[in-house]
Amino acid sequence: MAVSRYTSITRADVKNTMPGYTNQAWLAPKSAFTLLQEPAPAAGAALGEEVTIKVAHTFPVGEGFIQVYCAPKSVEAPATLIGADGSKRFKWEPKILLLGDSAALLAQILLLANDDLILLLKDATCPGGQILQFGCSCTPSQVSAGTFTSSNTGDETGQKGYALTLTSYCKYFYNSTIAEKPAA
């Protein structure tokens, strides 16, 4: 007889209750990794270990995650449960709004739009802010939609930037160091 892994979740167990994510995000093409870690739960591991990465990803010298500055309160990661009975999973669609416009930003976005990606987002709950990872080695995230917005209203809604929506079928809790790509 199999042992059930379900457990009661009480009010004291609830974590990360603040809505949304911070304006900190990191992106890396899947091809940049030396080793893209996956969850590695031991037999009999606690509930949640199967979606937790505890070991840092590794990159060759000169590579790493690029940090992207997103508009405050713009980052979100909605999901929809998809699939047939017995094989349901979430389709995650994280959205980031990269502020500004420049030749370098546009060129980088065009590269990202056509690459397999791993996205890290920092949860808004403070202190600490859990890091979430979207994408994995088997099914990396991909840019599924993008828009550019420019406003000349001059008020608090006036902003210029690139909104990207990624599609991912993997979401993990990343509990290790974020290796950032060195500045050029």
Side-chain angles (χ1 to χ4, degrees):
M1 174 182 216
V3 176
S4 173
R5 295 200 53 219
Y6 295 104
T7 183
S8 295
I9 297 175
T10 66
R11 184 179 185 125
D13 298 323
V14 176
K15 308 270 188 266
N16 300 327
T17 58
M18 296 294 295
Y21 301 96
T22 68
N23 60 340
Q24 293 176 282
W26 296 265
L27 285 165
K30 179 185 163 195
S31 61
F33 292 85
T34 302
L35 184 56
L36 179 55
Q37 298 289 346
E38 302 281 340
L47 187 63
E49 295 294 315
E50 67 277 5
V51 292
T52 302
I53 298 172
K54 295 180 179 181
V55 179
H57 301 304
T58 57
F59 295 90
V61 173
E63 287 294 335
F65 283 98
I66 57 167
Q67 187 172 15
V68 292
Y69 177 74
C70 300
K73 299 180 182 178
S74 70
V75 178
E76 58 181 288
T80 304
L81 194 60
I82 62 167
D85 288 347
S87 63
K88 293 188 186 300
R89 63 183 178 159
F90 277 105
K91 176 183 178 183
W92 300 94
E93 295 186 295
K95 298 172 183 166
I96 56 177
L97 175 58
L98 308 175
L99 289 177
D101 191 20
S102 69
L105 181 57
L106 175 57
Q108 183 148 293
I109 287 172
L110 290 172
L111 290 170
L112 294 170
N114 293 293
D115 215 337
D116 291 336
L117 304 170
I118 303 300
L119 170 68
L120 300 180
L121 298 178
K122 187 174 182 184
D123 192 272
T125 300
C126 291
Q130 173 69 55
I131 301 295
L132 302 170
Q133 175 179 311
F134 295 91
C136 57
S137 60
C138 290
T139 53
S141 295
Q142 294 182 323
V143 175
S144 55
T147 59
F148 176 78
T149 304
S150 174
S151 175
N152 63 359
T153 60
D155 63 13
E156 68 278 355
T157 63
Q159 59 188 3
K160 187 185 304 182
Y162 295 86
L164 299 179
T165 300
L166 286 77
T167 297
S168 180
Y169 297 95
C170 300
K171 175 185 175 183
Y172 297 130
F173 292 82
Y174 184 68
N175 293 340
S176 196
T177 305
I178 299 173
E180 291 189 10
K181 184 173 183 164

